């Protein structure tokens, strides 16, 4: 199975990644929330496009920091 991120989402993810750099949980959560404010995304897109290590954990914690 060859999954790909749609081009319009990939462009948005690149902009989000430029704005919110870093690998800590807070930055990952911020990127995830920003992307979700634009459109729905799946876990593949969150992990590959946004660099979120384990998207369900970020959602479970509700990104409250």
């Amino acid at each position: 199975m060859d999954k790909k991120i749609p081009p319009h989402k990939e462009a948005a993810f690149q902009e989000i990644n430029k704005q919110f750099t870093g690998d800590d949980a807070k930055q990952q959560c911020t990127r995830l929330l920003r992307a979700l404010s634009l459109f729905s995304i799946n876990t593949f897109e969150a992990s590959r496009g946004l660099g979120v290590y384990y998207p369900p954990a970020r959602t479970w914690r509700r990104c409250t920091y």
Side-chain angles (χ1 to χ4, degrees), residues 15-35:
E15 288 300 314
I16 292 169
N17 287 329
K18 286 180 188 176
Q19 292 175 351
F20 306 103
T21 60
D23 293 331
D24 61 32
K26 187 173 184 177
Q27 290 299 313
Q28 291 179 40
C29 192
T30 303
R31 289 193 297 268
L32 182 58
L33 288 174
R34 179 69 178 119

Side-chain angles (χ1 to χ4, degrees), residues 28-46:
Q28 291 179 40
C29 192
T30 303
R31 289 193 297 268
L32 182 58
L33 288 174
R34 179 69 178 119
L36 287 170
S37 72
L38 299 174
F39 34 67
S40 64
I41 62 173
N42 58 39
T43 55
F44 176 81
E45 293 167 339

